[in-house]
Amino acid sequence: QAKQQGRGILRFFSPELTDRAKARLALEAELRHAIEGDELRLYYQPQTDLVSGETVGLEGLVRWHHPERGMIPPGDFIPLAEESGLVVALGDWVLHTACRQIKTWLDAGLAPRRTAVNVSAVQLSRDHLIESVKHALRETGIPPERLELEITESFVIADREQSFKALAELRALGVRLSIDDFGTGYSSLAYLQHIEIHELKIDISFVRDVTTNTSNASIVKAIIALGHSLGSEIVAEGVETQAQADYLRALHCDLMQGYLVSRPLPVEEITRFLSRAGATPRDTSR
Ligand code: C2E
Ligand code: MG
Ligand code: MG
Ligand code: MG
């Protein structure tokens, strides 16, 4: 099917574009192979309470361990996955992998309160996502509130009606909802009015020079005030220095995520991190 599409496209392209189109098709085929095979890995990065230092959550971030090209970061293949529709299969893999890992950590008494995965707009625009989340929860038996879905703000706006409906259905399943890269999308903020959002993530671009750039500091303050008044928790992304952490704590930001605490780590290493932290009391509620 992709080949047929490819042929159709190639006919109208100039020679140099044909080369690029060919390279894209090759990469797409490789990505399909990677999803079906064993080349994807989910890394995890801690989200830390700015006051207690407890590891409250994790974010799963996908990596592609390419047999020849080495590790490929998501920024280099997620856009292609979205354009080709492969992100649906990739998203299924991520959901199931994360839920199985949550189950393993729950059984070991190591699970933080929740673990997030990123969800693409393309997934959100298809009914399949709800089924996929339900299936992953049913298959693993984890409590839905252990799973969090990070949705990028611009995506929410893409197809408003369908996105609102999908968010409401996900909300009804009991999973947590987080708005990623908050403040960077073409936000109408309308979805905040319609759906209970558990978490807002302040984009790294506002956090980077929050201690020195007064307009960024104002934006961060405004996001924290807005989020708190709506009952959402606030996570600062990309916290790299102690000065940023101290500043964010003073502004009553709830959580931080970034290299200051840890880079995203493969599963064995993050499991060691969780055991060392010992910040997660054995869960006796189940
Ligand atoms: P994101 O969800 O906003 O993830 C945060 C990105 O910031 C990650 O990049 C993370 O490694 C990076 N980061 C964390 N702490 C720091 C820091 O202190 N400094 C700096 N400079 N960067 C930091 P990564 O892993 O390359 O992911 C990039 C984007 O790719 C993600 O942005 C997300 O939009 C997308 N992505 C990653 N995994 C998935 C996935 O499984 N599915 C989908 N649909 N998208 C994904
Ligand atoms: Mg994210
Ligand atoms: Mg994020
Ligand atoms: Mg982000």
Side-chain angles (χ1 to χ4, degrees):
Q1 186 213 345
K3 251 187 205 150
Q4 267 165 14
Q5 267 174 16
R7 237 177 270 139
I9 294 163
L10 291 176
R11 248 188 302 167
F12 302 104
F13 278 179
S14 59
E16 64 271 31
L17 280 179
T18 304
D19 282 349
R20 267 179 52 199
K22 273 186 192 156
R24 271 182 65 96
L25 283 179
L27 188 65
E28 194 182 310
E30 285 186 58
L31 182 55
R32 178 171 293 115
H33 176 82
I35 296 167
E36 288 160 5
D38 191 29
E39 294 175 18
L40 296 182
R41 297 284 181 277
L42 205 54
Y43 280 41
Y44 297 87
Q45 189 178 34
Q47 300 178 335
T48 309
D49 187 304
L50 273 161
V51 174
S52 70
E54 180 191 356
T55 304
V56 170
L58 298 173
E59 176 178 7
L61 294 155
V62 74
R63 271 97 183 87
W64 178 3
H65 282 235
H66 192 283
E68 283 119 44
R69 277 183 275 178
M71 199 180 78
I72 307 178
D76 291 358
F77 63 91
I78 291 290
L80 174 69
E82 288 178 332
E83 284 163 36
S84 61
L86 282 173
V87 77
V88 172
L90 184 145
D92 282 352
W93 181 87
V94 168
L95 267 171
H96 282 261
T97 302
C99 286
R100 270 184 233 123
Q101 191 56 54
I102 294 169
K103 169 74 173 137
T104 303
W105 284 326
L106 280 171
D107 290 345
L110 290 172
R113 277 183 240 162
R114 73 254 184 170
T115 298
V117 294
N118 291 281
V119 167
S120 157
V122 178
Q123 292 173 272
L124 204 62
S125 70
R126 302 196 187 177
D127 293 329
H128 174 76
L129 177 64
I130 314 292
E131 280 315 307
S132 182
V133 171
K134 274 192 201 162
H135 184 229
L137 292 174
R138 204 183 321 119
E139 184 196 79
T140 55
I142 62 164
E145 66 273 14
R146 295 288 185 166
L147 179 66
E148 184 167 77
L149 305 180
E150 291 192 6
I151 294 138
T152 300
E153 200 183 17
S154 53
F155 298 172
V156 181
I157 316 304
D159 180 350
R160 251 174 85 122
E161 288 309 308
Q162 168 61 22
S163 299
F164 281 2
K165 185 172 147 270
L167 288 178
E169 281 176 28
L170 290 168
R171 184 68 196 76
L173 287 182
V175 299
R176 288 173 52 94
L177 298 179
S178 168
I179 303 294
D180 208 344
D181 306 337
F182 190 81
T184 60
Y186 300 96
S187 174
S188 67
L189 300 180
Y191 56 90
L192 292 179
Q193 172 190 17
H194 289 291
I195 299 130
E196 187 196 344
I197 300 292
H198 301 84
E199 178 184 287
L200 304 182
K201 299 190 77 175
I202 305 175
D203 191 65
I204 186 167
S205 61
F206 301 120
V207 173
R208 196 169 288 130
D209 53 359
V210 71
T211 58
T212 53
N213 180 319
T214 50
S215 57
N216 278 2
S218 300
I219 291 168
V220 166
K221 281 180 209 166
I223 294 174
I224 293 169
L226 171 69
H228 281 169
S229 71
L230 292 166
S232 309
E233 277 185 291
I234 314 295
V235 182
E237 290 193 308
V239 175
E240 296 184 355
T241 68
Q242 190 59 49
Q244 288 169 333
D246 293 341
Y247 193 85
L248 290 159
R249 186 186 309 107
L251 297 183
H252 304 292
C253 183
D254 302 293
L255 307 174
M256 65 169 160
Q257 179 178 346
Y259 299 164
L260 176 64
V261 176
S262 169
R263 291 183 174 263
L265 298 173
V267 70
E268 311 75 43
E269 284 180 49
I270 195 75
T271 301
R272 245 177 281 137
F273 177 96
L274 291 170
S275 350
R276 256 200 328 268
T280 319
R282 192 163 283 274
D283 188 0
T284 50
S285 67
R286 54 187 292 283

